Amino acid sequence: MKKLFSVLIPALLLAGIGVGAYFAFFYHPAEKSPNPTVEIVLSDGSTLRAELYPDLAPNTVANFVNLAQSGFYDGLEVYRVVPGVLIQTGDPNGDGTGGAGYTIKGEFRANGVRNDLAHTRGVLSMARQSGFDTASSQFFILEGSYPQYDGQYAAFGMLTDEESLAALDKIASQPVDSFYVPLSRVYIKSVTVETYGAEYHVIKNEQEETT
């Protein structure tokens, strides 16, 4: 069996299948862990609850889980609000220019990755700076439904209850300036992720971004 593994791993890597896909092919756990769930507590006292979908965007979910567990998001502002469209956060610079110091592959159709989660109301999706593989830490939550984002951004989760949607609407309804900067900012107090015992390991792009 060891000889078989030593032959198959290089062969699959040469075929462009990666080590993760290799073990996903051979390893079938007896019981699949539930999807991770998230609680984002905001400075206005509201909470956004969401479910993440590693089956659709595994590395995007792993990235979010790792950042949340490290406390990266704590204290960051909702720095962009497009009324009726989305709210955006996850930038340590608070102006759309920052990230986590690295980038990840974009998991969406235009980048060769099947991801069937539509950009409908309440969906969490990764922002990106320019190219397909420039997502880092910033994410947005849709207030409306925008199918034009499908296949262009890595959707990876969804708000799960009416209280969360009401909190989203409250943030999205506040006054903004001409650059969609909210006049009264809300920030993230904490992000708690329940992984139900599963471990998530993010794969970063080889070239780190400059921040």
Side-chain angles (χ1 to χ4, degrees), residues 22-199:
Y22 171 83
F23 283 107
F25 180 78
F26 281 95
Y27 174 64
H28 300 281
E31 184 176 348
K32 181 179 179 295
S33 297
N35 288 336
T37 54
V38 180
E39 283 195 353
I40 304 173
V41 179
L42 302 173
S43 59
D44 65 356
S46 61
T47 300
L48 303 174
R49 299 178 185 85
E51 179 180 9
L52 308 183
Y53 303 117
D55 288 347
L56 300 177
N59 199 44
T60 305
V61 168
N63 182 58
F64 183 89
V65 168
N66 277 260
L67 290 173
Q69 290 179 332
S70 73
F72 178 89
Y73 288 122
D74 299 354
L76 300 189
E77 293 180 325
V78 177
Y79 75 88
R80 182 170 179 248
V81 171
V82 184
V85 182
L86 58 83
I87 66 172
Q88 189 164 328
T89 185
D91 178 8
N93 296 341
D95 60 7
T97 64
Y102 63 87
T103 57
I104 61 173
K105 178 180 175 64
E107 293 177 309
F108 45 84
R109 186 175 61 253
N111 204 27
V113 178
R114 179 173 178 177
N115 182 342
D116 295 330
L117 182 58
H119 283 80
T120 56
R121 174 169 164 77
V123 160
L124 283 65
S125 190
M126 288 301 292
R128 51 188 176 85
Q129 296 292 339
S130 54
F132 287 171
D133 296 329
T134 59
S136 183
S137 60
Q138 295 187 46
F139 66 97
F140 57 92
I141 306 176
L142 286 163
E143 187 186 21
S145 297
Y146 285 83
Q148 59 267 43
Y149 293 167
D150 294 348
Q152 301 294 322
Y153 296 90
F156 67 96
M158 179 174 284
L159 299 182
T160 54
D161 56 50
E162 290 300 322
E163 181 183 351
S164 299
L165 291 171
L168 169 66
D169 292 338
K170 180 181 177 182
I171 299 169
S173 65
Q174 62 183 302
V176 298
D177 66 16
S178 58
F179 296 100
Y180 300 110
V181 176
L183 302 185
S184 178
R185 298 204 190 185
V186 173
Y187 66 87
I188 295 172
K189 292 183 68 175
S190 65
V191 182
T192 304
V193 181
E194 174 57 71
T195 63
Y196 302 98
E199 295 184 359

